[in-house]
Amino acid sequence: MPTRSTVILGTGSYAPDRILTNEDVAKMVDTSDEWIRARSGIRERRIAGPDEATSDLAIQAARRAFEDSGVKASEIDLVVVATVTPDYPMPSTACIIQHKLGIPSTAACFDVNAACSGFIYAIDTACAMISSGRYSKALVIGAEKLSSVVDWQDRGTCMLFGDGAGAVVIGVSPKRGIGLIGTKLGSLGEDTDLLIIPGGGSRTPTTPDSIARGEQFIKMKGKEVFKLAVRVMEEAARDILEQHGLAAHQIDLVIPHQANLRIIDAIAQYLELPVERFFVNVDRYGNTSAASIPIALDEARKAGRIKQGELTLLVAFGAGLTYGSALIRW
Ligand code: UT7
């Protein structure tokens, strides 16, 4: 049992300025604005500049979360970064962010790779570490530069993904029952091949041949991933509600991973909730993997969609295949 409860003290997000519209994508591959909107709900996505890496997006989001929370970099003793597009394979992006933000050298810093569920994995980890009493204030970030791993010649994937970052500052809750009240994580490791970057790891190190085969890019079996996403996100939502003796209608706002509007619509239907109860920004950012939930969370708070005392459900699904859900009482 956790010894201390944890709470989100502030949020921030950042997306690069450059907008890539569906019309722009249609100039690169055989597709159309109409097809992309109908099949995914995406209208545009943000693309980082050539000199911007994941940590550059992350520090902008983190600075906004510091400002929102009133917490200073000097108070942070834990940095957890969820990403599948780290600045480098080694060292972790968390260490780069620590240095850029002036976070003390006594802080523990590491990355989490759970793809689109990464932010939920990261907050669960940070909250457990704070609950243990050994850490007190965490900076948790979901940040991605997916444009660097997208095959811009593959029409089945390139229109889906975008770049961005979202951050939260987490601390000790002054009151039990307020803050992160529960999480549920899991993984379907047998389905690793459905969504994968096959090259660049120890299995297939980067060589001129692996590059010629395009193994440095995201490969996805879209239809299979779609079906699993709907089933597994619904289950992850139901499981956590059941664990806490709650019914779906008691949730004030669902913040789902933003992968495809049709996936969100289907989950709303299965949970028998009006789609208005779901926060949606996939139309403006596409799928930003680990950044998707913290960007949406920040936008939802700042748009006044979350009020004190309300209950928010986060639910995600991604490569791994990982899944996760979290309940937050504000
Ligand atoms: O973050 C979690 C992981 N990601 C996801 O959750 C994504 C899950 N998958 C999806 O969102 C959808 O599967 C896509 C949006 C990627 C694709 O939609 P779909 O309805 O599953 O299409 P499909 O892959 O079954 O393709 C249908 C047709 C195919 O043509 P044929 O074989 O029927 O002639 C594709 O070649 O649409 C074609 N197609 C396209 N046409 C125009 C595939 N991509 C495109 C495109 N533009 N961009």
Side-chain angles (χ1 to χ4, degrees):
M1 277 297 287
T3 54
R4 305 195 291 183
S5 301
T6 49
V7 69
I8 291 178
L9 301 170
T11 61
S13 62
Y14 174 80
D17 292 337
R18 186 178 158 216
I19 293 174
L20 190 77
T21 65
N22 290 346
E23 284 83 1
D24 296 330
V25 176
K27 287 178 194 145
M28 295 187 269
V29 290
D30 180 15
T31 189
S32 65
D33 172 48
E34 198 184 13
W35 193 95
I36 299 171
R37 272 192 290 115
R39 305 312 294 165
S40 70
I42 299 167
R43 284 190 289 119
E44 59 190 39
R45 67 289 293 142
R46 301 297 184 93
I47 303 293
D51 299 330
E52 272 179 311
T54 294
S55 67
D56 300 312
L57 311 182
I59 60 168
Q60 302 285 356
R63 286 195 178 118
R64 290 172 186 179
F66 284 151
E67 206 177 294
D68 187 49
S69 63
V71 172
K72 296 187 196 68
S74 58
E75 297 172 61
I76 297 293
D77 56 4
L78 175 62
V79 181
V80 187
V81 177
T83 187
V84 289
T85 47
D87 285 21
Y88 310 105
M90 180 181 83
S92 74
T93 304
C95 297
I96 297 163
I97 292 167
Q98 172 201 23
H99 174 65
K100 286 184 179 172
L101 292 174
I103 291 169
S105 61
T106 46
C109 300
F110 59 94
D111 290 359
V112 165
N113 177 340
C116 306
S117 315
F119 181 73
I120 299 182
Y121 270 69
I123 54 171
D124 193 37
T125 305
C127 288
M129 291 173 77
I130 293 173
S131 286
S132 76
R134 289 161 58 208
Y135 297 86
S136 59
K137 281 202 179 74
L139 173 65
V140 180
I141 303 174
E144 303 284 8
K145 185 179 176 181
L146 292 172
S147 60
S148 66
V149 291
V150 158
D151 180 351
W152 290 103
Q153 294 180 342
D154 175 10
R155 72 173 182 169
T157 55
C158 73
M159 78 299 176
L160 288 179
F161 298 103
D163 303 334
V168 297
V169 177
I170 298 179
V172 177
S173 174
K175 213 163 124 196
R176 278 206 182 272
I178 299 291
L180 191 82
I181 59 175
T183 52
K184 163 120 185 85
L185 305 179
S187 163
L188 315 175
E190 69 274 19
D191 288 318
T192 300
D193 63 317
L194 296 185
L195 183 48
I196 189 166
I197 299 174
S202 60
R203 176 74 56 199
T204 317
T206 305
T207 61
D209 281 351
S210 77
I211 291 173
R213 289 192 298 269
E215 290 179 355
Q216 66 278 29
F217 298 131
I218 295 174
K219 314 283 176 203
M220 182 175 72
K221 294 183 179 143
K223 235 183 191 19
E224 287 94 323
V225 173
F226 186 102
K227 283 188 212 149
L228 276 168
V230 173
R231 178 170 69 75
V232 172
M233 284 213 274
E234 187 209 345
E235 277 171 19
R238 281 196 191 286
D239 283 356
I240 196 164
L241 289 170
E242 200 183 301
Q243 239 175 50
H244 292 270
L246 292 162
H249 69 83
Q250 290 174 277
I251 301 294
D252 297 292
L253 186 68
V254 183
I255 301 187
H257 168 50
Q258 308 283 317
N260 185 318
L261 187 58
R262 288 190 297 135
I263 295 178
I264 297 172
D265 284 343
I267 296 167
Q269 202 184 326
Y270 289 132
L271 292 178
E272 294 179 54
L273 284 176
V275 77
E276 296 71 37
R277 205 79 72 87
F278 285 66
F279 188 82
V280 175
N281 64 8
V282 69
D283 51 323
R284 290 181 286 121
Y285 299 116
N287 180 348
T288 57
S289 191
S292 125
I293 287 189
I295 293 174
L297 177 62
D298 182 50
E299 290 197 341
R301 277 188 70 234
K302 289 173 186 164
R305 296 279 304 270
I306 296 175
K307 300 196 175 54
Q308 214 179 340
E310 286 188 350
L311 197 58
T312 300
L313 169 70
L314 313 182
V315 61
F317 172 84
L321 298 168
T322 59
Y323 61 87
S325 52
L327 277 176
I328 302 168
R329 174 75 71 189
W330 298 92

